[in-house]
Amino acid sequence: MIKSINARLDEMTKKLSDKELFESKGLGNEINFHVFDYDPEDEYIVREYLDNYLLKKDKLNLKVFDIYEIIIDILKEKGFLEKVFEFEKKKGTRYINGLISKTIGIGSSNDLIIKRIRSDIEPGEIILITGIGKCYGIVRGHTILNNLHSVVTNNPLIMFYPGSYDGQGFRLFNVLSNDNYYRAFQFVSRN
């Protein structure tokens, strides 16, 4: 039987409170990366749950990184945000997504998203990655996870993913296949 999104969110909250999350028991020395996948139509339920419930739980030491918001902040800091809007009107979305990717250095040794996350992690925090669907076309979930392997080494990480993850690969919005990724564990099963 498939669990409802609300049942899965409740189960996630219990798992986040469990000390075993930091001990990585049962992971066989794998990295402590997890994916909470959900149907895209549940995006606003998940966001509301995070903002209005989960992040208000004082006992959980959570640190949220919204990848989309990080991208916007970087573009503002570089003075590029308004230029991006202008270029998009002239050249189109695909062109501007590529330009943003290059500007941020996605996948390079100078990846500004990864640097931002690295500089803002504290020991004992549970890292939550959100905003993957909002930056479709600029960066992919598996790219973020691959680049965080050397950055997030002692903290558990959960990426919220609007689509499906089967332990081998992602399907963004349950439609678009991404490259294979098999180093994360599904945080809460759908069954």
Side-chain angles (χ1 to χ4, degrees):
M1 184 172 151
I2 295 178
K3 299 175 195 168
S4 72
I5 188 63
N6 291 322
R8 292 182 68 227
L9 289 167
D10 288 342
E11 186 177 339
M12 175 191 64
T13 303
K14 290 175 189 162
K15 287 181 86 167
L16 288 170
S17 302
D18 193 335
K19 291 179 183 173
E20 283 189 15
L21 182 60
F22 277 94
E23 297 168 6
S24 302
K25 288 187 177 175
L27 296 183
N29 292 325
E30 286 289 330
I31 57 174
N32 201 353
F33 282 22
H34 306 268
V35 175
F36 184 86
D37 63 342
Y38 54 91
D39 291 328
E41 55 267 19
D42 293 329
E43 174 72 24
Y44 291 108
I45 295 169
V46 172
R47 282 190 205 177
E48 187 173 311
Y49 190 85
L50 284 172
D51 293 340
N52 297 328
Y53 178 71
L54 194 62
L55 296 177
K56 293 181 178 179
K57 292 184 80 61
D58 293 333
K59 292 181 182 179
L60 296 177
N61 191 8
L62 303 173
K63 181 69 176 195
V64 178
F65 293 97
D66 183 319
I67 302 303
Y68 178 79
E69 293 300 327
I70 291 172
I71 290 170
I72 296 297
D73 288 345
I74 291 168
L75 292 174
K76 282 180 184 174
E77 289 164 12
K78 291 183 160 290
F80 290 163
L81 189 59
E82 294 304 318
K83 291 176 187 170
V84 163
F85 296 136
E86 291 171 28
F87 275 128
E88 186 176 25
K89 287 177 189 173
K90 293 177 187 173
K91 301 273 187 166
T93 303
R94 182 173 285 175
Y95 174 81
I96 203 61
N97 286 347
L99 188 62
I100 292 169
S101 259
K102 288 178 186 169
T103 300
I104 292 175
I106 292 173
S108 73
S109 60
N110 194 33
D111 188 318
L112 298 178
I113 295 171
I114 303 305
K115 284 184 173 186
R116 179 75 50 97
I117 292 170
R118 178 188 301 131
S119 71
D120 207 13
I121 294 175
E122 299 291 332
E125 290 177 326
I126 300 170
I127 308 303
L128 305 180
I129 302 292
T130 65
I132 295 298
K134 294 186 286 185
C135 20
Y136 165 69
I138 298 170
V139 65
R140 295 181 179 202
H142 72 275
T143 303
I144 294 291
L145 291 178
N146 278 331
N147 293 335
L148 285 173
H149 287 179
S150 62
V151 173
V152 180
T153 55
N154 296 315
N155 303 63
L157 179 146
I158 297 96
M159 183 174 75
F160 288 81
Y161 191 80
S164 55
Y165 176 68
D166 63 6
Q168 297 295 312
F170 293 101
R171 288 185 56 83
L172 186 62
F173 310 130
N174 291 334
V175 175
L176 305 168
S177 293
N178 276 318
D179 291 345
N180 291 343
Y181 185 85
Y182 51 87
R183 298 209 49 202
F185 300 89
Q186 193 175 45
F187 198 55
V188 176
S189 75
R190 290 177 179 243
N191 302 326

